[in-house]
Short mmCIF file of all heavy atoms in Angstrom, two decimals:
data_model
loop_
_atom_site.label_atom_id
_atom_site.label_comp_id
_atom_site.label_asym_id
_atom_site.label_seq_id
_atom_site.Cartn_x
_atom_site.Cartn_y
_atom_site.Cartn_z
N TYR D 568 -137.27 90.72 126.25
CA TYR D 568 -137.67 89.91 125.22
C TYR D 568 -138.07 88.59 125.83
O TYR D 568 -138.50 87.63 124.97
CB TYR D 568 -136.49 89.71 124.17
CG TYR D 568 -135.14 89.43 124.69
CD1 TYR D 568 -134.82 88.10 125.14
CD2 TYR D 568 -134.28 90.44 124.96
CE1 TYR D 568 -133.54 87.86 125.59
CE2 TYR D 568 -132.98 90.14 125.51
CZ TYR D 568 -132.65 88.91 125.85
OH TYR D 568 -131.36 88.66 126.47
N VAL D 569 -137.96 88.35 127.05
CA VAL D 569 -138.47 87.11 127.64
C VAL D 569 -139.83 87.41 128.30
O VAL D 569 -140.08 88.29 128.95
CB VAL D 569 -137.47 86.62 128.79
CG1 VAL D 569 -138.12 85.35 129.45
CG2 VAL D 569 -136.06 86.38 128.28
N PRO D 570 -140.87 86.46 127.91
CA PRO D 570 -142.18 86.80 128.39
C PRO D 570 -142.21 86.58 129.88
O PRO D 570 -141.53 85.79 130.49
CB PRO D 570 -143.04 85.69 127.70
CG PRO D 570 -142.06 84.64 127.31
CD PRO D 570 -140.70 85.30 127.11
N LYS D 574 -146.92 82.90 129.15
CA LYS D 574 -146.09 82.23 128.04
C LYS D 574 -144.75 81.76 128.62
O LYS D 574 -144.07 81.11 128.05
CB LYS D 574 -145.77 83.18 126.89
CG LYS D 574 -147.03 83.45 126.03
CD LYS D 574 -146.62 84.02 124.70
CE LYS D 574 -147.66 84.01 123.70
NZ LYS D 574 -147.57 85.14 122.78
N ASN D 575 -144.43 82.33 129.84
CA ASN D 575 -143.14 81.91 130.45
C ASN D 575 -143.29 80.56 131.07
O ASN D 575 -144.26 80.29 131.87
CB ASN D 575 -142.74 82.90 131.53
CG ASN D 575 -141.30 82.62 132.00
OD1 ASN D 575 -140.95 81.60 132.40
ND2 ASN D 575 -140.47 83.70 131.74
N LEU D 576 -142.35 79.56 130.72
CA LEU D 576 -142.51 78.19 131.15
C LEU D 576 -142.33 78.16 132.72
O LEU D 576 -142.94 77.29 133.25
CB LEU D 576 -141.50 77.34 130.48
CG LEU D 576 -141.63 77.14 128.98
CD1 LEU D 576 -140.59 76.08 128.43
CD2 LEU D 576 -143.10 76.81 128.53
N ALA D 577 -141.62 79.02 133.35
CA ALA D 577 -141.59 79.03 134.78
C ALA D 577 -142.98 79.37 135.33
O ALA D 577 -143.37 78.80 136.32
CB ALA D 577 -140.46 80.00 135.23
N ILE D 598 -136.08 85.73 137.81
CA ILE D 598 -135.16 84.95 137.00
C ILE D 598 -134.07 85.91 136.49
O ILE D 598 -134.26 86.87 135.84
CB ILE D 598 -135.83 84.33 135.75
CG1 ILE D 598 -137.17 83.60 136.11
CG2 ILE D 598 -134.92 83.53 134.91
CD1 ILE D 598 -137.91 83.09 134.95
N LYS D 600 -131.46 85.84 134.04
CA LYS D 600 -131.35 85.08 132.75
C LYS D 600 -129.99 85.15 132.15
O LYS D 600 -129.62 86.33 131.78
CB LYS D 600 -132.35 85.59 131.73
CG LYS D 600 -132.67 84.80 130.55
CD LYS D 600 -133.80 83.87 130.63
CE LYS D 600 -133.73 82.68 129.71
NZ LYS D 600 -133.92 81.40 130.31
N PRO D 603 -128.86 81.94 126.58
CA PRO D 603 -129.34 82.58 125.34
C PRO D 603 -130.82 81.99 125.04
O PRO D 603 -131.05 80.81 125.40
CB PRO D 603 -128.41 82.13 124.22
CG PRO D 603 -127.16 81.99 124.97
CD PRO D 603 -127.48 81.35 126.30
N VAL D 604 -131.73 82.90 124.62
CA VAL D 604 -133.10 82.45 124.32
C VAL D 604 -133.27 82.07 122.94
O VAL D 604 -132.61 82.49 122.05
CB VAL D 604 -134.00 83.66 124.69
CG1 VAL D 604 -135.43 83.40 124.33
CG2 VAL D 604 -133.93 84.09 126.18
N SER D 605 -134.25 81.03 122.78
CA SER D 605 -134.49 80.38 121.40
C SER D 605 -133.22 79.98 120.87
O SER D 605 -132.95 80.23 119.63
CB SER D 605 -135.22 81.31 120.56
OG SER D 605 -136.48 81.62 121.06
N ALA D 606 -132.44 79.14 121.56
CA ALA D 606 -131.01 78.91 121.11
C ALA D 606 -130.82 77.38 120.97
O ALA D 606 -129.81 76.99 120.38
CB ALA D 606 -130.10 79.37 122.18
N GLY D 607 -131.71 76.55 121.45
CA GLY D 607 -131.42 75.09 121.41
C GLY D 607 -130.77 74.59 122.75
O GLY D 607 -130.33 73.54 122.80
N LEU D 608 -130.82 75.53 123.79
CA LEU D 608 -130.17 75.17 125.02
C LEU D 608 -131.05 74.99 126.10
O LEU D 608 -130.72 74.88 127.33
CB LEU D 608 -129.22 76.40 125.40
CG LEU D 608 -128.02 76.61 124.44
CD1 LEU D 608 -127.31 77.92 124.79
CD2 LEU D 608 -127.06 75.45 124.43
N GLY D 609 -132.40 74.94 125.90
CA GLY D 609 -133.35 74.55 126.83
C GLY D 609 -133.61 75.52 127.87
O GLY D 609 -133.91 75.17 128.97
N GLY D 610 -133.37 76.80 127.65
CA GLY D 610 -133.54 77.81 128.60
C GLY D 610 -134.84 77.83 129.36
O GLY D 610 -134.86 77.94 130.59
N GLY D 611 -135.93 77.81 128.53
CA GLY D 611 -137.29 77.85 129.16
C GLY D 611 -137.57 76.60 130.03
O GLY D 611 -138.11 76.63 131.12
N SER D 612 -137.13 75.49 129.48
CA SER D 612 -137.34 74.16 130.07
C SER D 612 -136.64 74.05 131.45
O SER D 612 -137.19 73.60 132.45
CB SER D 612 -136.94 73.06 129.17
OG SER D 612 -137.55 73.12 128.03
N ASP D 614 -135.69 76.55 133.39
CA ASP D 614 -136.37 77.47 134.22
C ASP D 614 -137.63 76.88 134.91
O ASP D 614 -137.93 76.99 136.14
CB ASP D 614 -136.75 78.78 133.58
CG ASP D 614 -135.62 79.67 133.30
OD1 ASP D 614 -134.38 79.30 133.80
OD2 ASP D 614 -135.64 80.74 132.60
N ASP D 645 -138.67 68.57 127.22
CA ASP D 645 -137.41 68.60 127.68
C ASP D 645 -137.38 68.86 129.26
O ASP D 645 -136.30 68.84 129.83
CB ASP D 645 -136.50 69.66 127.07
CG ASP D 645 -136.01 69.30 125.66
OD1 ASP D 645 -136.32 68.10 125.26
OD2 ASP D 645 -135.60 70.17 124.89
N THR D 686 -138.41 75.69 116.67
CA THR D 686 -138.37 74.21 116.78
C THR D 686 -139.35 73.57 115.81
O THR D 686 -139.04 72.63 115.09
CB THR D 686 -138.36 73.79 118.19
OG1 THR D 686 -137.43 74.41 118.94
CG2 THR D 686 -138.15 72.25 118.31
N SER D 757 -132.49 72.22 118.29
CA SER D 757 -132.87 72.55 116.98
C SER D 757 -132.16 73.74 116.47
O SER D 757 -132.46 74.38 115.51
CB SER D 757 -134.43 72.71 116.89
OG SER D 757 -134.80 73.69 117.80
N GLY D 758 -131.09 74.16 117.29
CA GLY D 758 -130.21 75.24 117.01
C GLY D 758 -130.80 76.59 117.30
O GLY D 758 -131.88 76.68 117.93
P1 ATP T 968 -136.67 74.57 122.60
O1 ATP T 968 -135.55 73.84 122.09
O2 ATP T 968 -137.53 73.89 123.52
O3 ATP T 968 -137.43 75.39 121.55
P2 ATP T 968 -134.98 76.69 123.31
O4 ATP T 968 -133.85 76.44 124.21
O5 ATP T 968 -134.63 76.75 121.82
O6 ATP T 968 -136.05 75.76 123.49
P3 ATP T 968 -135.93 78.80 124.96
O7 ATP T 968 -134.81 79.66 125.43
O8 ATP T 968 -136.52 77.91 125.93
O9 ATP T 968 -135.54 78.17 123.58
O10 ATP T 968 -137.11 79.74 124.41
C1 ATP T 968 -138.01 79.30 123.42
C2 ATP T 968 -139.32 80.20 123.54
O11 ATP T 968 -139.84 80.11 124.93
C3 ATP T 968 -139.01 81.68 123.32
O12 ATP T 968 -139.85 82.14 122.40
C4 ATP T 968 -139.25 82.29 124.72
O13 ATP T 968 -139.86 83.54 124.51
C5 ATP T 968 -140.13 81.39 125.36
N1 ATP T 968 -139.93 81.30 126.83
C6 ATP T 968 -140.81 80.90 127.81
N2 ATP T 968 -140.33 80.78 128.96
C7 ATP T 968 -138.98 81.22 129.00
C8 ATP T 968 -138.02 81.36 129.93
N3 ATP T 968 -138.22 81.08 131.17
N4 ATP T 968 -136.79 81.66 129.50
C9 ATP T 968 -136.64 81.94 128.14
N5 ATP T 968 -137.57 81.81 127.18
C10 ATP T 968 -138.77 81.46 127.63
#
Side-chain angles (χ1 to χ4, degrees):
Y568 48 84
V569 179
K574 284 197 175 153
N575 194 301
L576 296 188
I598 308 178
K600 192 97 205 136
V604 174
S605 295
L608 297 171
S612 302
D614 290 350
D645 288 349
T686 306
S757 57

